[in-house]
């Protein structure tokens, strides 16, 4: 496919990627700390805590296609997506601060209700930011390599954000409390979205007529696209595996490795390699194609997960080494699928002359959200099956609970990630027109 838009500058790509301050913070921090807040601060049963984390994001699965369709038909001089970003993210930033500011003395029942309602509000606001933003890459460039460059910048910033939020949030919680986490991350969310909103003011949007017909018809057309179904399945299932790992970090640090501060160390080991290896994954995509890169990255992620299962009882140094292998694969698994999805949406627009990119993105993000929410739910159910003892002050855990923590952190998500290789090879090879 020949590019129909000029090449963008590094400043443009960095500004676009700044949105990861909002997206990654919202996806990572609740996945890391919301389950421990419920089980070990509010005393909510593990199975119920998992359900509370799952339900608000499951709502996004229903909401996202509607938001995508709405943004497809929105007309604005600076593109159809940009006007959605600031109002949505301001609501998200405020909601995030409220989410972790559970008033003392509410008890487990009212505290759980507080978390559920606040998280539901956050998830709704996030949908109105994430869907228009994720659609942008389909509309600002038609160039195959340019999309990879945009995603490489975005994943590099994603890795830095995880280092900051994943490393600092547990430390803030331990030093000051959960409300400090909400304020800190809410501020990052607002700052990142504003920088991206400003950057997109310089973008050149491709003009394509919004697709006609009812939303149900558009959903049917998108779901009938075989390459989209394949790459969306990969993205959702890998998000599920990542969600389980995120949910397990704090439990592994405290109960298996015996150190609360180890959760920050594990995050650094996971994300550090992603920063280093992102340029290598980009070069690999240029040399071969994105499907090949994704297959290799998926294999590396699964291999690292399997090795971590054996490393947990060998000490934190060995565990960090195997988690670093996971991090290297994770970087590639974040770069390739979104770019491949945008290839599919752009090809559809070229073939039909109609823009249904928002519907593609709505379903795509809905699958990701379902995966990221399903991971903590599954981890909570695994904890419950292992007899995990929830307590407002923390409690000693039986051996069965420790086994459940290890399984939910390592071999269960590893099997899920490895299974996505079947879907990877259902995506067409190559990808260049």
């Amino acid at each position: 496919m020949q590019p129909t838009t000029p090449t963008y500058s590094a400043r443009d790509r960095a500004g676009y990627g700044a949105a990861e301050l909002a997206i990654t913070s919202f996806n990572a921090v609740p996945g890391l700390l919301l389950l421990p807040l419920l089980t070990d601060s509010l005393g909510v049963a593990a199975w119920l805590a998992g359900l509370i984390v799952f339900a608000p994001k499951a709502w996004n699965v229903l909401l996202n296609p509607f938001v995508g369709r709405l943004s497809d038909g929105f007309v604005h001089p600076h593109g159809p997506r940009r006007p959605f970003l600031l109002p949505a993210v301001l609501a998200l930033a405020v909601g995030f601060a409220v989410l972790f500011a559970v008033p003392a003395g509410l008890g487990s029942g009212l505290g759980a209700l507080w978390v559920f309602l606040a998280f539901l509000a956050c998830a709704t606001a996030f949908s109105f930011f994430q869907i228009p933003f994720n659609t942008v890459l389909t509309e600002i460039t038609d160039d195959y390599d340019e999309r990879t460059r945009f995603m490489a910048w975005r994943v590099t910033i994603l890795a830095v954000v995880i280092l900051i939020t994943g490393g600092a949030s547990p430390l803030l919680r331990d030093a000051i409390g959960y409300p400090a986490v909400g304020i800190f991350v809410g501020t990052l969310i607002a700052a990142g979205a504003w920088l991206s909103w400003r950057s997109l003011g310089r973008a050149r949007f491709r003009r394509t007529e919004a697709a006609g017909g009812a939303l149900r018809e558009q959903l049917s057309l998108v779901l009938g696209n075989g390459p989209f179904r394949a790459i969306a399945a990969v993205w959702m299932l890998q998000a599920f595996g990542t969600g389980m790992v995120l949910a397990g970090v704090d439990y592994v640090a405290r109960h298996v490795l015996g150190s609360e501060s180890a959760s920050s160390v594990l995050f650094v080991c996971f994300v550090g390699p992603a920063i280093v290896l992102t340029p290598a994954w980009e070069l690999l995509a240029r040399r071969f194609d994105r499907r090949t890169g994704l297959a290799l990255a998926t294999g590396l992620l699964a291999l690292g997960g399997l090795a971590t299962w054996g490393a947990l009882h060998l000490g934190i140094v060995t565990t960090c080494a195997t988690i670093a292998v996971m991090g290297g694969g994770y970087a590639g698994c974040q770069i390739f699928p979104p770019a491949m999805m945008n290839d599919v949406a752009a090809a559809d627009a070229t073939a039909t002359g109609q823009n249904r990119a928002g519907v593609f993105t709505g379903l795509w993000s809905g699958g990701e959200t379902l995966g990221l929410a399903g991971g903590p739910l599954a981890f909570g159910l695994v904890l419950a099956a292992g007899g995990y003892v929830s307590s407002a002050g923390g409690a000693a855990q039986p051996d069965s609970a420790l086994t459940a923590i290890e399984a939910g952190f390592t071999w269960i998500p590893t099997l899920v990630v490895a299974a996505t290789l079947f879907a990877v090879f259902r995506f067409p090879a190559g990808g260049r027109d």
Side-chain angles (χ1 to χ4, degrees):
M1 179 182 293
Q2 296 299 316
T4 59
T5 56
T7 300
Y8 287 92
S9 67
R11 177 191 177 195
D12 295 326
R13 299 181 199 117
Y16 165 85
E20 283 299 335
L21 280 165
I23 294 171
T24 299
S25 295
F26 179 73
N27 284 333
V29 176
L32 175 66
L33 294 182
L34 212 51
L35 208 61
L37 168 65
L38 289 162
T39 60
D40 295 343
S41 289
L42 298 176
V44 178
W47 69 268
L48 180 58
L51 191 60
I52 289 170
V53 176
F54 172 78
K57 286 198 169 187
W59 155 242
N60 280 62
V61 177
L62 301 176
L63 181 62
N64 284 354
F66 167 78
V67 175
R69 179 69 167 150
L70 181 66
S71 68
D72 276 345
F74 196 81
V75 178
H76 192 272
H78 293 291
R81 320 295 173 181
R82 189 168 175 258
F84 286 82
L85 304 184
L86 276 186
V89 85
L90 289 175
L92 175 59
V94 172
F96 203 91
V98 171
L99 173 63
F100 285 95
V102 183
L106 274 187
S108 61
L110 289 177
L113 181 62
W114 175 287
V115 170
F116 171 74
L117 293 176
F119 200 31
L120 181 64
C122 287
T124 301
F126 183 68
S127 182
F128 279 88
F129 174 81
Q130 183 194 30
I131 304 307
F133 176 78
N134 280 351
T135 308
V136 161
L137 194 56
T138 302
E139 299 172 335
I140 62 176
T141 181
D142 287 331
D143 184 82
Y144 181 95
D145 290 326
E146 187 66 83
R147 287 199 188 106
T148 303
R149 284 190 286 268
F150 266 104
M151 286 309 305
W153 273 88
R154 185 172 169 180
V155 170
T156 300
I157 294 172
L158 176 154
V160 173
V161 172
I162 293 181
L163 275 176
I164 295 171
T165 59
S169 293
L171 297 177
L172 273 175
R173 176 202 59 187
D174 296 339
I176 304 175
Y178 279 105
V181 174
I183 294 171
F184 168 66
V185 176
T187 302
L188 288 180
I189 287 172
W194 181 76
L195 288 170
S196 186
W197 176 81
R198 281 196 63 188
S199 176
L200 288 175
R202 300 189 296 271
R204 283 82 72 187
F205 282 80
R206 179 182 61 185
R207 304 296 180 184
T208 309
E209 180 184 353
L215 177 59
R216 175 181 290 186
E217 177 186 348
Q218 298 306 313
L219 290 172
S220 177
L221 289 170
V222 171
L223 289 172
N225 187 304
F228 175 78
R229 288 199 309 273
I231 197 60
V234 172
W235 189 241
M236 181 178 69
L237 291 173
Q238 291 189 355
F240 178 89
T242 301
M244 286 197 76
V245 171
L246 280 175
V249 166
D250 197 63
Y251 294 91
V252 166
R254 288 186 289 117
H255 297 297
V256 178
L257 298 177
S259 170
E260 291 188 356
S261 62
S263 58
S264 296
V265 177
L266 295 180
F267 252 94
V268 171
C269 292
F270 183 72
V271 178
I275 297 174
V276 175
L277 290 178
T278 293
W281 288 122
E282 181 186 356
L283 289 174
L284 188 148
R286 292 187 194 178
R287 176 65 179 83
F288 298 102
D289 57 58
R290 290 201 260 265
R291 191 184 78 166
T292 300
L294 179 57
L296 292 172
T298 300
L300 191 62
L301 178 58
L303 179 65
L306 187 62
T308 300
W309 185 23
L312 283 176
H313 295 286
L314 299 178
I316 191 169
V317 174
T318 306
T319 301
C320 283
T322 59
I323 286 179
V325 174
M326 293 175 63
Y330 175 75
C333 290
Q334 292 298 298
I335 291 176
F336 299 121
M340 293 158 79
M341 184 277 292
N342 278 284
D343 291 340
V344 173
D348 177 80
T350 299
T352 65
Q354 294 186 318
N355 185 1
R356 59 183 120 252
V359 180
F360 273 101
T361 306
L363 287 169
W364 173 264
S365 299
E368 177 190 24
T369 299
L370 188 62
L372 286 172
L377 173 61
F379 192 86
L381 294 175
V382 170
L383 288 184
Y388 186 86
V389 180
S390 296
S391 170
Q397 301 298 330
D399 289 343
S400 58
L402 300 181
T403 300
I405 290 170
E406 294 173 17
F409 184 68
T410 57
W411 65 263
I412 295 177
T414 293
L415 287 177
V416 173
V417 169
T420 64
L421 282 169
F422 292 101
V424 169
F425 288 108
R426 291 185 65 85
F427 193 87
R432 297 176 185 272
D433 294 333

